[in-house]
Amino acid sequence: MIADEGQPLLSGPVRRKPSRLSLYLFIWGLAASVLLLLQVAPFGQFRASPQAPPQKRNVIFMVSDGMGPASISLARSYRQYVHGLPEDDILNLDQHFIGHSRTRSSDSLITDSAAGATAFSCAHKSYNGAIAMLPDHTACGTLLEAAKDAGYMTGMVVTTRITDATPAAFSAHVNMRWQEDTIAEHQIGDYVLGRSVDLILGGGRCHYLPSSVDGGCRKDKRNLVEEAASNGWTYVDDVKGFKSLGGGQNVSLPLLGLFAPKDIPYDIDRHDTEHPSLVATAKTAIQALARATQDSDKGFFLLIEGSRIDHAAHSNDPAAQVREVLAYDAAFAAAVEFARESSTETIVLSTSDHETGGLATARQLTPDYPEYVWYPEALHNATHSGEYLARKLKELHDSDENIKKYVAEEIIGNGLGIADFTEEELKAVVKNRKNAVDVLNNMVSVRSQTGWSTHGHSAVDVNLYGFGNTERAMKEVHKQLSGSNENTDIGAFMWSYLDVDQSAITKRLKDLDGTGALSVSEMETDDYHHRI
């Protein structure tokens, strides 16, 4: 048989020439397989899959102590009124709302700040008063401690005492929150784990200094400021020292900044020449930690607390509280702005440990069916907090006649911005001039028709806000925290996100069992029930 001219003169079956399309598909498939398997980077280096979580990341966790949903409504309406903004203008926080947090503690439907912060730091429920301690009074490792142990840099920024409940629950372990002398010792590293905090900015010199030193209140003779300095801490305690930090560009860590003996004044009373603002300290801390980790494969964990939102609510002072909420909102905006511009994956979370005051932007003043009104202008007219004005009044030593004139003109007129006060109100302030906080704050609350149900905390759910600067981070935040959460869920998410080991830290803390127990006499002299 003569072979066909088109058939190769080879034995075996006829092999057809592949089509051009088949050849293209083969080459494309081979190239795609190689790239998928190897993910070859320029210069022959390998790179991780885009879906793999980054090794370096930051967490900025913000706590608006005592702020419930009504505080947001109050601040939003106030801001619209003051600046003549339209009704659809919202706060920075509003733009990042993702859900809410359920706040109960292990022993009460109404939590205190200590148990609330322990839920965040340890991801466990505990009893009211517990500072990173479990219900059986054993210490639980905190997120900040574990982050430091894993190589992250850590920091805390607050407007109250740095030894107060929220920062304490991340940086110390004591059975009850009022053990602030011991808390201060742990914060500078005088406990079994050594130093876990790299940066501290807030108030609270009192528990760092002995009572023999101006502004000190320790029950022993230790000067923790001097001890910290001898162990390498940079220390600043005034605005001049704060400005020397250059907004975080000129910081040597570890840094201890204590800008008031106790709490930093309310924003309505505060002067930039005397005390730094929350947004300023927050920005400084963020930049300092970012610079300190720029060459590290680990990022940072930073706690920022708008602490005195809670205090204003305890005092039922709407004029002070609205300024505290807006100051916190500005700090939140600064944190989000940093995250947007950072090349390191960063999440910003914000929530409250609880609500305080049972605040309502409504108040019924008469037995008749009430009008639907709320007046933010009454808050705007006030130039000082009730706490500040009551302190000024208490310091007076003058005749009754002069005190009455001073109260009318300076306290009520200039301080509260109230011109239509009654003779009965004037008499009430004068009569209670040794402790006039409630009377003064009620005058503003009545005129704004702001309601309060308690001087304590409430069991109301609190809002949760979140932002991530990458698509992956944002997906994780929404996947894990959108909707209704227990407060412990927020802590658990941060532990998971930073990929740090709690069990190892908790195991090392077994030596702290029962640390710092106070005697009964010491507990009785402490002002525990004041602003918890």
Side-chain angles (χ1 to χ4, degrees):
M1 179 177 176
I2 300 174
D4 187 356
E5 290 183 0
Q7 182 177 338
L9 296 175
L10 295 172
S11 61
V14 175
R15 298 184 180 180
R16 299 184 182 275
K17 184 178 181 180
S19 69
R20 184 169 295 179
L21 176 61
S22 298
L23 184 61
Y24 288 163
L25 289 174
F26 172 76
I27 295 172
W28 178 87
L30 180 62
S33 298
V34 171
L35 289 175
L36 180 63
L37 292 173
L38 300 182
Q39 288 286 290
V40 180
F43 309 108
Q45 296 178 345
F46 293 99
R47 65 185 180 191
S49 165
Q51 277 68 46
Q55 291 301 306
K56 186 173 182 178
R57 62 195 75 174
N58 303 319
V59 169
I60 301 174
F61 180 53
M62 302 187 63
V63 178
S64 46
D65 196 330
M67 186 179 81
S71 298
I72 290 290
S73 298
L74 179 140
R76 188 190 308 116
S77 297
Y78 173 88
R79 182 172 176 272
Q80 290 172 359
Y81 168 80
V82 170
H83 298 290
L85 301 171
E87 61 188 20
D88 61 351
D89 184 85
I90 57 177
L91 302 179
N92 295 296
L93 287 160
D94 287 322
Q95 301 171 40
H96 302 283
F97 174 79
I98 59 174
H100 70 250
S101 170
R102 307 186 297 272
T103 62
R104 66 173 297 168
S105 65
S106 68
D107 63 350
S108 176
L109 287 173
I110 299 179
T111 190
D112 81 324
S113 294
T118 296
F120 300 141
S121 69
C122 291
H124 286 287
K125 296 280 188 181
S126 197
Y127 57 90
N128 285 354
I131 296 296
M133 300 288 277
L134 299 176
D136 64 357
H137 294 280
T138 60
C140 53
T142 76
L143 179 64
L144 184 146
E145 292 168 332
K148 180 62 178 175
D149 187 64
Y152 291 86
M153 300 298 283
T154 63
M156 303 189 299
V157 174
V158 302
T159 53
T160 186
R161 304 175 311 285
I162 197 65
T163 51
D164 202 11
T166 300
F170 282 84
S171 58
H173 302 271
V174 293
N175 286 320
M176 293 302 294
R177 57 179 294 168
W178 58 77
Q179 298 170 243
E180 294 187 54
D181 286 2
T182 303
I183 290 167
E185 295 164 18
H186 289 195
Q187 289 175 335
I188 63 167
D190 185 14
Y191 75 127
V192 69
L193 294 183
R195 182 175 61 80
S196 292
V197 191
D198 295 302
L199 179 147
I200 289 173
L201 296 176
R205 285 196 301 271
C206 173
H207 293 284
Y208 278 75
L209 298 171
S211 56
S212 59
V213 174
D214 185 36
C217 64
R218 289 186 61 84
K219 295 178 175 65
D220 58 24
K221 297 180 180 180
R222 293 181 65 178
N223 187 320
L224 299 190
V225 170
E226 291 182 351
E227 291 182 26
S230 68
N231 286 316
W233 288 78
T234 301
Y235 177 65
V236 293
D237 63 0
D238 56 17
V239 168
K240 182 180 179 181
F242 176 72
K243 288 183 177 179
S244 72
L245 303 176
Q249 304 300 312
N250 186 36
V251 171
S252 177
L253 298 177
L255 170 65
L256 177 63
L258 303 175
F259 304 112
K262 293 186 178 180
D263 305 324
I264 292 175
Y266 287 125
D267 219 54
I268 192 174
D269 304 321
R270 185 188 59 81
H271 294 286
D272 286 335
T273 57
E274 298 175 358
H275 300 91
S277 67
L278 177 61
V279 69
T281 51
K283 286 181 176 180
T284 296
I286 290 170
Q287 290 301 323
L289 294 175
R291 285 176 61 84
T293 57
Q294 61 186 357
D295 297 323
S296 171
D297 61 353
K298 297 288 186 181
F300 64 81
F301 170 78
L302 175 62
L303 168 70
I304 301 173
E305 184 188 31
S307 322
R308 303 212 66 195
I309 299 171
D310 174 67
H311 289 189
H314 275 297
S315 294
N316 291 177
D317 187 339
Q321 202 208 45
V322 73
R323 270 85 163 188
E324 293 301 302
V325 172
L326 291 177
Y328 179 84
D329 188 61
F332 177 83
V336 170
E337 180 183 8
F338 164 80
R340 288 190 195 278
E341 296 176 354
S342 177
S343 59
T344 300
E345 184 172 288
T346 302
I347 63 170
V348 182
L349 294 178
S350 170
T351 192
S352 304
D353 43 5
H354 54 76
E355 192 274 347
T356 302
L359 172 66
T361 50
R363 183 164 181 153
Q364 185 164 336
L365 302 179
T366 67
D368 298 329
Y369 191 82
E371 295 182 72
Y372 297 155
V373 293
W374 182 70
Y375 300 113
E377 55 265 39
L379 310 186
H380 184 52
N381 291 339
T383 61
H384 282 292
S385 68
E387 175 185 276
Y388 175 93
L389 296 171
R391 186 169 59 249
K392 290 294 183 183
L393 187 57
K394 187 177 180 179
E395 292 170 354
L396 285 179
H397 298 285
D398 208 343
S399 67
D400 287 346
E401 182 179 351
N402 287 340
I403 286 179
K404 190 173 182 180
K405 180 180 179 182
Y406 181 83
V407 168
E409 294 178 359
E410 296 299 324
I411 302 297
I412 299 178
N414 294 333
L416 299 183
I418 295 175
D420 63 346
F421 59 89
T422 66
E423 184 66 22
E424 287 73 22
E425 288 175 321
L426 177 58
K427 289 180 180 179
V429 175
V430 173
K431 179 181 178 180
N432 295 280
R433 64 181 178 271
K434 296 302 181 183
N435 187 13
V437 174
D438 287 347
V439 177
L440 296 171
N441 290 338
N442 187 61
M443 291 175 69
V444 177
S445 294
V446 166
R447 281 163 176 80
S448 62
Q449 295 201 23
T450 301
W452 305 91
S453 64
T454 178
H455 282 289
H457 300 174
S458 76
V460 71
D461 295 338
V462 295
N463 290 352
L464 174 62
Y465 308 89
F467 173 78
N469 68 345
T470 67
E471 182 180 358
R472 192 198 77 86
M474 200 68 251
K475 283 183 177 179
E476 284 297 303
V477 168
H478 279 282
K479 178 182 177 182
Q480 301 297 329
L481 297 177
S482 287
S484 181
N485 305 271
E486 281 294 331
N487 50 11
T488 49
D489 294 337
I490 300 168
F493 169 75
M494 292 190 291
W495 277 94
S496 175
Y497 180 78
L498 289 179
D499 191 25
V500 290
D501 184 6
Q502 183 179 32
S503 60
I505 297 298
T506 299
K507 184 178 180 180
R508 290 168 58 190
L509 284 166
K510 285 185 176 180
D511 294 338
L512 284 176
D513 184 37
T515 291
L518 291 174
S519 67
V520 173
S521 60
E522 220 172 357
M523 289 167 60
E524 288 176 345
T525 59
D526 194 273
D527 192 13
Y528 170 56
H529 292 290
H530 181 59
R531 290 178 180 160
I532 63 172

